[in-house]
Amino acid sequence: MTLIADGPTATQLTTTDPRDGSAIATYPVAGPADVDRAVTAAADVAHWWRAQGFAGRQKLLQAWKAEIASNARDLASVISRETGKTPDDALLEVVLTLTHLDWASKNAGKVLRRRKVASGLASYNQAASVGYEPFGVVGVIGPWNYPFYTPMGSIGYALSAGNVVVFKPSELTPATAKWIEEAWNRVAPDRPVLQVVVGDGATGEALASSAVDKVAFTGSPGTARKVMAAAARNLTPIVVEAGGKDAMIVTRQADLDAAVGFAVFGGMGNAGQTCAGVERVYVEAPVYDAFVEKLVASAARLKPGPEASASYGPMTLARQSEVISSQITGALERGATAVLGGADSVKDGYVGPVILTGVPDDCAVVQEETFGPVLVVDRVEDVDEAIVKANSTEYGLSASVFTKDHHAGLEIAERLRCGAVSINSVLGFGGIPGLPFGGRGESGFGRIHGADGLREFSVAKSIAVQKSKAFIDLLTMDRSERDMHLAERMLHMLHAKGRKH
């Protein structure tokens, strides 16, 4: 990707294929004025979109889904060329995304429609209800590693909840964003419910500080802080997914072959460029040696490359290779052992599979996001030690647990400091649209997906309707002694029962 100056203020953005550096396309960069025009156009169409109601929006979103599905291979080709991931991995991304769009559009009404709420004895004369309204215009700032699946976790749920969206994709993957925008325009011409603004960090800052009503951001914690600062100028609420350093716990009761398979998939799939992938593995001592032996044998079969048949592709973001190399080298200098690969696995934009053991806990490769096909495997004496280590970073996105003891697996999952846990699989929650997704700590806050994801892009509105005059009239400036006396008696009757004498 290159940014080219074109006059005193205008710039152009040219994207390149990370597999060979060839140019893909050139786009004009959206400046603050362009962003403001897009947000204004979105606000103008927001009333129409909201007026469609849940049923009308579902019909249009289902048509959009069908349009995407009918051309899924074409979209996968665009994703593959921009990111370097294999065509099959790109198609899998499309499949998972449409599962979420389908669920969100069909379930928005059930989740967000107004419903009655019990009023309680003290307010027996009030009819209470709660409903959810759309914010209006949602600004979505997306990443490059899953340029369709990840931003659509916000876009699909925001649209289903009745919002309109202005989407700023990563500067590495604008073609994917423009593809889905064009697919929408084929379904609903002249209704800019979804608009794309292409640009770099300055464009993202302009969107976050514009007149949008909410911001959804996915990216690094450092960039998240900048986006939050921009949004804070207008007190614009924000939901953040800011990466992870996810751990896998392998107990002595685990199916080792299954655990190894998922460790390789979670750690090496998409060249390790998965926020909720596996970066650290904690294995109980009795099965540690057997696990490492199986893991090395399995990972050693992976062959990265530009071919469609390759196990995975290059680093989408070229400078990520420097981060990976630095973390591997730093660990080895501190006494770690590379049981597979090593610093020389990083070359020519590709990273071969790397497995490190004996890594000190304070090394960068243990504490900081690697975002490459590197697994740190550590021996632990028991599950308690594994949980302490798993919870020892500032991140808290997701984790996985492998054990044949179902009850023990659930207990371990409850003790992990993260937003989602898969037991006996990796990323199992990612394909279940009813489950919310998001993290804590440096991994961000708020949720996408599921009912919580629909509510994330909605504003709760409470309504109380007085049906009759209250028996005890306290909502007046002329309260009677009788009413105050009865109120005090009710206070003790309802709330003083648990007092210890």
Side-chain angles (χ1 to χ4, degrees):
M1 182 275 297
T2 57
L3 285 167
I4 306 169
D6 184 19
T9 56
T11 59
Q12 290 183 321
L13 183 154
T14 298
T15 57
T16 55
D17 188 326
R19 290 169 291 200
D20 58 17
S22 61
I24 298 175
T26 298
Y27 304 86
V29 171
D34 302 307
V35 170
D36 287 343
R37 279 192 290 271
V39 172
T40 298
D44 289 342
V45 79
H47 300 290
W48 172 82
W49 184 239
R50 180 173 179 176
Q52 301 309 300
F54 293 113
R57 291 193 293 271
Q58 177 181 335
K59 182 178 179 180
L60 285 166
L61 291 171
Q62 286 290 315
W64 186 36
K65 183 196 72 169
E67 178 68 21
I68 296 170
S70 298
N71 298 281
R73 275 291 179 186
D74 183 52
L75 174 56
S77 176
V78 175
I79 294 171
S80 176
R81 190 172 185 200
E82 286 196 309
T83 62
K85 67 178 64 180
T86 66
D88 284 353
D89 281 352
L91 185 62
L92 175 60
E93 182 175 344
V94 177
V95 172
L96 291 174
T97 303
L98 295 186
T99 299
H100 281 277
L101 179 58
D102 182 68
W103 189 93
S105 64
K106 290 179 178 178
N107 286 274
K110 301 174 187 176
V111 174
L112 302 177
R113 279 196 178 97
R114 182 162 294 280
R115 56 176 54 83
K116 294 180 180 179
V117 175
S119 300
L121 181 60
S123 299
Y124 73 95
N125 65 320
Q126 300 277 354
S129 66
V130 62
Y132 297 86
E133 300 178 350
F135 277 93
V137 182
V138 173
V140 176
I141 301 174
W144 47 261
N145 59 327
Y146 291 93
F148 185 47
Y149 175 81
T150 300
M152 282 293 289
S154 297
I155 294 169
Y157 286 78
L159 291 175
S160 297
N163 302 280
V164 294
V165 172
V166 178
F167 173 32
K168 189 270 170 190
S170 164
E171 53 266 44
L172 300 180
T173 55
T176 301
K178 296 298 289 185
W179 193 100
I180 63 174
E181 179 190 39
E182 291 164 4
W184 170 260
N185 290 335
R186 290 194 293 272
V187 169
D190 303 318
R191 299 291 187 179
V193 166
L194 170 64
Q195 297 176 81
V196 172
V197 289
V198 174
D200 56 4
T203 305
E205 181 181 2
L207 181 59
S209 59
S210 72
V212 295
D213 300 293
K214 184 154 188 173
V215 174
F217 170 80
T218 304
S220 70
T223 304
R225 288 175 169 85
K226 294 177 182 178
V227 173
M228 289 175 66
R233 296 169 194 165
N234 297 322
L235 287 181
T236 304
I238 181 170
V239 53
V240 171
E241 196 264 274
K245 190 68 184 176
D246 290 3
M248 171 191 285
I249 294 177
V250 181
T251 72
R252 65 192 70 198
Q253 295 91 5
D255 178 333
L256 294 189
D257 291 331
V260 163
F262 278 111
V264 173
F265 168 73
M268 313 294 182
N270 196 33
Q273 300 169 120
T274 303
C275 298
V278 179
E279 297 206 3
R280 300 173 293 146
V281 186
Y282 299 109
V283 187
E284 283 199 276
V287 295
Y288 176 83
D289 290 336
F291 177 85
V292 171
E293 181 180 355
K294 289 174 177 287
L295 181 66
V296 169
S298 179
R301 293 194 290 269
L302 301 181
K303 303 298 180 185
E307 307 85 9
S309 60
S311 303
Y312 56 82
M315 295 292 101
T316 304
L317 182 63
R319 65 175 180 270
Q320 193 63 28
S321 294
E322 300 172 11
V323 174
I324 297 168
S325 179
S326 174
Q327 289 191 5
I328 294 171
T329 300
L332 295 175
E333 290 175 347
R334 294 282 305 280
T337 299
V339 294
L340 178 65
D344 58 355
S345 298
V346 184
K347 54 188 174 184
D348 301 325
Y350 291 83
V351 181
V354 177
I355 299 174
L356 302 174
T357 61
V359 183
D361 289 338
D362 60 346
C363 279
V365 76
V366 176
Q367 295 297 321
E368 301 173 12
E369 194 169 33
T370 303
F371 230 53
V374 179
L375 284 173
V376 173
V377 187
D378 196 6
R379 182 198 307 265
V380 293
E381 292 306 313
D382 53 33
V383 165
D384 288 338
E385 183 184 1
I387 292 171
V388 170
K389 286 180 176 287
N391 291 339
S392 67
T393 76
E394 295 298 319
Y395 291 95
L397 189 55
S398 65
S400 55
V401 179
F402 284 81
T403 178
K404 294 178 183 176
D405 187 331
H406 176 74
H407 180 71
L410 290 173
E411 283 192 339
I412 295 168
E414 293 285 1
R415 295 171 62 188
L416 291 170
R417 179 184 170 274
C418 60
V421 181
S422 289
I423 299 176
N424 293 329
S425 74
V426 167
L427 297 169
F429 48 80
I432 304 173
L435 284 178
F437 177 72
R440 53 194 295 182
E442 288 291 291
S443 291
F445 50 85
R447 294 294 183 267
I448 59 172
H449 301 168
D452 287 344
L454 289 167
R455 295 189 188 102
E456 187 73 53
F457 296 103
S458 306
V459 180
K461 177 177 281 186
S462 301
I463 296 178
V465 180
Q466 181 162 305
K467 301 180 296 182
S468 60
K469 182 177 175 59
F471 177 70
I472 304 175
D473 191 7
L474 301 178
L475 303 182
T476 175
M477 299 301 290
D478 299 313
R479 289 184 288 271
S480 68
E481 290 186 14
R482 166 193 171 275
D483 285 348
M484 288 306 301
H485 174 70
L486 290 174
E488 187 172 3
R489 288 186 61 186
M490 182 178 291
L491 169 71
H492 288 281
M493 180 180 68
L494 293 177
H495 304 299
K497 292 180 180 179
R499 181 188 177 194
K500 295 182 179 179
H501 297 284

